[in-house]
Amino acid sequence: MTYIENIFVCIAAPLLLSTIYIGKKYRSFIIFTLAGMGACLLSAYINTFFASLYKADFINATTQIAPVVEEVMKLLPLLFYLLVFEPRSEKIRMAVVILATGFATFENIVYLIENGAAQLSFILIRGLGTGAMHIVCGGIVGIGLVYVWQHSWLKIAGTFGLLCSAITFHACYNLLIAHGGFTQYIAFALPLLTIIIGVVVSRLYKSKYQPLPS
Amino acid sequence: MIELIDNISQLLAVLLAFIASGSLFYKSRLQSYLLISCFYGTFMLGSLYWTLHYFLFDYTPQLFYVSELAWIASYTFLLTLEYSLSTVEERKFFHPGLWLVPIFCIPQLIIYFSIGDILFNILLGSLTMSVAWFSLRGLFYARRQTGKSRDRQIFHIAVLVIIVLEYSLWTSSCFWVSNDLTNPYFWIDFMLTASMLALLPAMKKAVTS
């Protein structure tokens, strides 16, 4: 049995203490990291609840329940930030990335405690893949929200569509991981490739619609 | 095997349409192209998950509605597209023929309630019924117009065909016959794939009108 709430307390305590000494500029970074980790902790509880409710086995819980729960839980702190603080678009992007990184970091810590840290090469690939997957899902929601919330005709459909896209992407990743074998490596490569494609497409888009000043 | 071919062909067709509509949005920056590319994108993600699940585990997802969530999102985008393309006058327009939508959809929904999850079927059923209602209203309205405005009827017909085929597909899945081509499910799904592809040129014509 893994006492993840104890692990969370141990990681959160020094981070929380550090907020007393570091400047206001960096405080938000710590708070979003903790929010991401907290979302991961609560997701674990809710996943367990739904898995027992539906009497799901490991594969069904990983591929059908976890993506829905985790993406919804990741969206909640972001929605709170958006609705209460009404931040500028560049701050939203940063918040989403830090939140997703916090989530992925805590997930990796729990994975290491459960499965051990003997195989560095596999852990490195897994860590990169999982981190990239959470950042991609966060990016889909975060960058998308910046755009859709500027258009009233797109707010409801857009937010729901973005959440569903993130859930489905996450579910595809988990599906490939749960199958095991060679498909695991496809799963690890998938979010990294998506980040590369996303960066290339956004640069192309910016170069076309934001001409350099003469 | 035929189910896998059916799923992969639909996935590829929707992916192709997503890339084409995305590049149209990139060139024109028109709201309608963004919405249709979102429709194709979310539909494609749902199909990808469904196909991957079937390919890797030899059975379709049974427990929770991951693909269906993506498909609900795709129909939400289609509904937004139908709404954004309609004029203020069109939104006030009513034709008695619109009652054909609930007459066609509700009896089939009752079948789905008896087999599947009620909440999910209410959600997807009401969403697709709204899309059908908007498209049929648009069709009646466009047929009363003259000139280029009449061109929009092709788009509304394409949307209606998708909804009719989607309902036929769900109903045929309730009465599963076999896993080969004698099952009408596969034929309907192939037609749905073709109608998905036909939606983009129909939409292009509606935008230029």
Side-chain angles (χ1 to χ4, degrees), chain A residues 47-87:
Chain A
N47 278 337
T48 313
F49 168 74
F50 279 115
S52 65
L53 184 74
Y54 288 108
K55 295 180 179 65
D57 57 12
F58 172 74
I59 287 184
N60 279 331
T62 322
T63 60
Q64 293 174 55
I65 295 170
V68 182
V69 172
E70 288 180 12
E71 291 310 317
V72 171
M73 289 307 293
K74 250 191 319 190
L75 182 69
L76 292 180
L78 185 69
L79 273 183
F80 177 80
Y81 179 59
L82 284 178
L83 294 170
V84 176
F85 296 98
E86 294 176 354

Side-chain angles (χ1 to χ4, degrees), chain A residues 153-174:
Chain A
W153 49 270
L154 197 59
K155 250 185 184 174
I156 299 168
T159 309
F160 184 64
L162 288 167
L163 177 65
C164 290
S165 306
I167 288 171
T168 323
F169 186 87
H170 190 155
C172 289
Y173 175 87
N174 281 10

Side-chain angles (χ1 to χ4, degrees), chain A residues 63-64 153 157 160 168 205 209, chain B residues 26 29 31 45 49 63-64:
Chain A
T63 60
Q64 293 174 55
W153 49 270
F160 184 64
T168 323
Y205 191 80
Y209 293 110
Chain B
Y26 177 72
R29 296 197 88 188
Q31 185 199 93
L45 275 172
Y49 177 79
L63 195 73
F64 212 77

Side-chain angles (χ1 to χ4, degrees), chain B:
Chain B
M1 186 64 183
I2 190 71
E3 191 165 0
L4 198 60
I5 294 169
D6 173 30
N7 289 336
I8 290 173
S9 64
Q10 190 165 76
L11 175 66
L12 291 176
V14 185
L15 177 66
L16 193 74
F18 170 62
I19 294 167
S21 55
S23 62
L24 280 172
F25 171 67
Y26 177 72
K27 283 177 193 158
S28 66
R29 296 197 88 188
L30 279 175
Q31 185 199 93
S32 309
Y33 287 131
L34 172 70
L35 283 169
I36 202 158
S37 60
C38 288
F39 164 70
Y40 282 128
T42 43
F43 199 96
M44 186 266 293
L45 275 172
S47 300
L48 175 68
Y49 177 79
W50 190 268
T51 311
L52 263 179
H53 202 291
Y54 188 77
F55 180 69
L56 295 174
F57 298 105
D58 275 336
Y59 60 89
T60 51
Q62 315 272 315
L63 195 73
F64 212 77
Y65 304 101
V66 176
S67 290
E68 283 85 346
L69 275 176
W71 292 328
I72 287 174
S74 74
Y75 282 113
T76 314
F77 283 119
L78 194 59
L79 184 68
T80 317
L81 176 63
E82 275 282 356
Y83 183 80
S84 66
L85 277 178
S86 61
T87 58
V88 180
E89 199 186 329
E90 188 184 321
R91 284 171 207 157
K92 289 175 189 161
F93 178 77
F94 181 78
H95 189 282
L98 286 174
W99 292 114
L100 280 171
V101 174
I103 289 169
F104 175 77
C105 297
I106 289 173
Q108 295 187 80
L109 268 175
I110 293 166
I111 301 172
Y112 312 151
F113 290 155
S114 66
I115 295 170
D117 184 72
I118 291 178
L119 181 71
F120 169 74
N121 279 311
I122 287 175
L123 197 67
L124 194 57
S126 54
L127 191 61
T128 44
M129 265 168 68
S130 310
V131 175
W133 184 279
F134 276 44
S135 58
L136 194 60
R137 187 185 64 190
L139 178 64
F140 285 134
Y141 183 79
R143 287 186 70 80
R144 289 174 180 224
Q145 307 301 305
T146 51
K148 278 212 150 196
S149 303
R150 272 180 82 87
D151 288 350
R152 288 202 174 183
Q153 59 181 318
I154 300 164
F155 168 69
H156 295 304
I157 290 169
V159 175
L160 271 177
V161 168
I162 287 174
I163 299 295
V164 169
L165 286 172
E166 195 71 275
Y167 268 86
S168 311
L169 189 78
W170 294 333
T171 305
S172 66
S173 73
C174 296
F175 307 100
W176 196 258
V177 181
S178 62
N179 283 325
D180 52 43
L181 281 173
T182 54
N183 192 340
Y185 175 91
F186 297 115
W187 292 103
I188 298 166
D189 211 17
F190 283 127
M191 283 194 284
L192 182 67
T193 306
S195 65
M196 285 276 183
L197 277 176
L199 182 67
L200 188 59
M203 151 94 208
K204 215 175 156 185
K205 208 170 166 72
V207 170
T208 49
S209 70

Side-chain angles (χ1 to χ4, degrees), chain A:
Chain A
M1 189 171 176
T2 315
Y3 297 95
I4 55 168
E5 58 282 348
N6 296 356
I7 299 165
F8 178 77
V9 169
C10 288
I11 295 168
L15 286 173
L16 266 176
L17 281 175
S18 71
T19 56
I20 301 167
Y21 298 102
I22 57 172
K24 198 182 172 188
K25 196 181 170 188
Y26 302 103
R27 200 169 291 154
S28 55
F29 175 85
I30 302 285
I31 289 167
F32 283 120
T33 309
L34 285 173
M37 287 181 172
C40 185
L41 176 75
L42 290 174
S43 300
Y45 290 140
I46 299 167
N47 278 337
T48 313
F49 168 74
F50 279 115
S52 65
L53 184 74
Y54 288 108
K55 295 180 179 65
D57 57 12
F58 172 74
I59 287 184
N60 279 331
T62 322
T63 60
Q64 293 174 55
I65 295 170
V68 182
V69 172
E70 288 180 12
E71 291 310 317
V72 171
M73 289 307 293
K74 250 191 319 190
L75 182 69
L76 292 180
L78 185 69
L79 273 183
F80 177 80
Y81 179 59
L82 284 178
L83 294 170
V84 176
F85 296 98
E86 294 176 354
R88 291 197 308 274
S89 59
E90 62 268 28
K91 280 195 167 182
I92 300 172
R93 282 195 198 110
M94 198 50 73
V96 170
V97 171
I98 298 168
L99 203 91
T101 312
F103 195 101
T105 306
F106 192 69
E107 201 179 67
N108 278 346
I109 290 166
V110 175
Y111 176 84
L112 288 175
I113 288 166
E114 279 183 344
N115 299 285
Q119 285 180 300
L120 181 67
S121 55
F122 180 76
I123 287 166
L124 195 67
I125 296 168
R126 194 201 177 274
L128 273 173
T130 310
M133 186 275 292
H134 280 294
I135 289 169
V136 167
C137 290
I140 291 170
V141 175
I143 297 166
L145 278 182
V146 172
Y147 183 81
V148 301
W149 280 42
Q150 289 168 1
H151 308 278
S152 55
W153 49 270
L154 197 59
K155 250 185 184 174
I156 299 168
T159 309
F160 184 64
L162 288 167
L163 177 65
C164 290
S165 306
I167 288 171
T168 323
F169 186 87
H170 190 155
C172 289
Y173 175 87
N174 281 10
L175 204 59
L176 291 164
I177 294 279
H179 184 256
F182 178 69
T183 54
Q184 275 191 104
Y185 294 95
I186 299 173
F188 297 139
L190 189 71
L192 291 169
L193 274 175
T194 314
I195 288 180
I196 294 166
I197 293 167
V199 169
V200 171
V201 169
S202 68
R203 285 204 178 157
L204 274 174
Y205 191 80
K206 276 181 188 166
S207 66
K208 184 168 178 179
Y209 293 110
Q210 288 178 3
L212 292 167
S214 55

